[in-house]
Amino acid sequence: MNSPLPHALHALTPNVHAWLPDGHATWGMANCVAVTGRSAGSGAVLLVDTPYTAGMTRHLKQLLDGLGAQADAGSGNGDGNAPGPGIRTVVNTHGNGDHSYGNGLFPGAEIIATEANGEHLCAEPAPAELAGLIAGSDPGTALGAYMRRHFGRYGDFGGVRAVHPDRTFSGELELDADGVAVRLVEVGPAHTAGDLIVHLPEEGVVCAGDVVFNEDHPVHWAGPLESVHRACLAILDCDPRVVVPGHGPVMTPAEVRRYADYLLDLRTAIHRGHQAGRPLPVLAGELIAADPYPAWGLTERMAILAAVEYRALDGETGRPDLVRLVGMAAEFAHRREAAVDGAAAGSVPAGTGG
Ligand SMILES: [Zn+2]
């Protein structure tokens, strides 16, 4: 299997470098963005999000060290091998493990997230718990098969642990990353309870975290979709040149606007179904069957979006049950595969209801 990890960092500007793994149609391959300082010889000093596993984080760190060596050589006062002062600040856009499990591999860095992110962290499994969920699930069930397919590649999450933020804020926080202006803007609840976006105003870049997905169907745990839409508008209000989504290739503002419009269309369809009294599994099945973006991966995530929206419409509060929601998506993925297998075998799939 080819490695989905990138061979090089993608330079968005001379001071902003994105690590963009190829995560199409799978879970957990999140983007990270490094900001290099303006001082002579400064390498990467600020990192937006950390990878899912120790191996992925080490891969990213090697590429970051390369940035430091380049800066060292470019400054004319180093031998080109020094790694630079290293990452001093890690910003977590939100608390999902695929954006934060690697935190502990940047010792000495200050970890910053929103205050509200703490609410989501209560629902997020720690690495060992997630490994246990994957290993302990029955591979004969839809959930067990789905967990193995999408999370099995990450092994047992050895070498990472949940390291919570050192510093939290609400609203906005401005930072100076060795001469590069950084604005952290709270936009949650949206994807989770505590999302933030990272705006680099002089660079024309916004790191959107999982408020925005590209080329895969989005999943949002907190919602409702109106809030995610509002968070997308906050991204566009920054008037960026380029937007780095949480997953998938970098985007133009026009692409983010189309994505935001899609969220509102989907919201309308879900609200209509709710008003008509359609049971959630029926509506979710209809949405998936009418998928307007068949090129996007993970269509089954539409079931999670519908469930989260129904939850809000029914006035349910409390923490989302992430495993139950993934289990629901897994059922739809299982049905789709059974239908494909059935069609390939020239037979009619049985029992796709309920
Ligand atoms: Zn993510």
Side-chain angles (χ1 to χ4, degrees):
M1 186 181 78
N2 287 333
S3 169
L5 302 183
H7 298 298
L9 296 168
H10 182 84
L12 301 174
T13 76
N15 283 94
V16 185
H17 301 261
W19 187 74
L20 306 167
D22 177 7
H24 181 64
T26 192
W27 293 67
M29 289 284 170
N31 297 329
C32 301
V33 175
V35 177
T36 57
R38 295 205 198 279
S39 304
S42 171
V45 293
L46 181 143
L47 183 64
V48 180
D49 287 339
T50 59
Y52 218 0
T53 68
M56 291 165 73
T57 308
R58 278 193 289 273
H59 176 275
L60 167 62
K61 285 179 81 168
Q62 263 179 11
L63 296 178
L64 295 178
D65 286 349
L67 287 179
Q70 279 170 27
D72 185 46
S75 71
N77 52 19
D79 59 7
N81 293 317
I87 298 294
R88 299 168 197 165
T89 307
V90 167
V91 177
N92 290 145
T93 56
H94 62 290
N96 281 150
D98 54 335
H99 300 257
S100 61
Y101 276 180
N103 283 358
L105 295 171
F106 295 91
E110 182 178 51
I111 298 165
I112 304 179
T114 65
E115 177 76 34
N117 183 55
E119 173 62 30
H120 174 81
L121 289 175
C122 299
E124 183 78 12
E129 286 173 320
L130 179 57
L133 280 172
I134 299 163
S137 60
D138 178 353
T141 64
L143 176 62
Y146 195 77
M147 293 290 274
R148 277 169 177 71
R149 173 178 322 146
H150 289 291
F151 298 92
R153 72 193 315 166
Y154 302 113
D156 65 358
F157 294 95
V160 292
R161 62 198 167 87
V163 176
H164 291 182
D166 303 302
R167 181 178 178 188
T168 59
F169 72 99
S170 299
E172 277 194 40
L173 180 66
E174 294 193 359
L175 302 172
D176 177 338
D178 187 21
V180 179
V182 180
R183 271 180 78 223
L184 308 184
V185 183
E186 181 175 22
V187 295
H191 173 71
T192 65
D195 308 275
L196 64 82
I197 58 171
V198 182
H199 179 208
L200 305 166
E202 296 153 356
E203 312 293 325
V205 175
V206 170
C207 309
D210 281 0
V211 167
V212 180
F213 285 77
N214 193 12
E215 298 186 356
D216 274 335
H217 281 273
V219 60
H220 298 300
W221 307 109
L225 288 170
E226 186 179 20
S227 303
V228 187
H229 180 263
R230 201 179 308 127
C232 291
L233 297 187
I235 292 165
L236 294 169
D237 280 347
C238 297
D239 194 22
R241 191 178 51 78
V242 58
V243 176
V244 184
H247 298 255
V250 296
M251 300 165 81
T252 63
E255 288 170 326
V256 173
R257 189 167 292 282
R258 272 199 295 282
Y259 167 84
D261 289 346
Y262 162 67
L263 295 181
L264 278 195
D265 290 346
L266 188 59
R267 175 182 183 271
T268 302
I270 296 169
H271 284 223
R272 240 184 242 138
H274 187 269
Q275 264 161 16
R278 297 189 87 55
L280 173 60
V282 173
L283 178 80
E286 289 167 355
L287 293 173
I288 289 169
D291 177 8
Y293 290 102
W296 289 0
L298 306 173
T299 319
E300 62 274 15
R301 283 176 167 177
M302 293 172 96
I304 297 178
L305 296 185
V308 169
E309 202 69 14
Y310 263 46
R311 200 171 159 268
L313 286 166
D314 292 336
E316 286 176 36
T317 52
R319 288 178 193 131
D321 182 340
L322 306 191
V323 174
R324 194 185 65 77
L325 290 168
V326 173
M328 194 179 150
E331 289 288 343
F332 281 100
H334 177 72
R335 284 182 210 176
R336 187 184 59 225
E337 280 146 29
V340 169
D341 289 350
S347 64
V348 177
T352 54

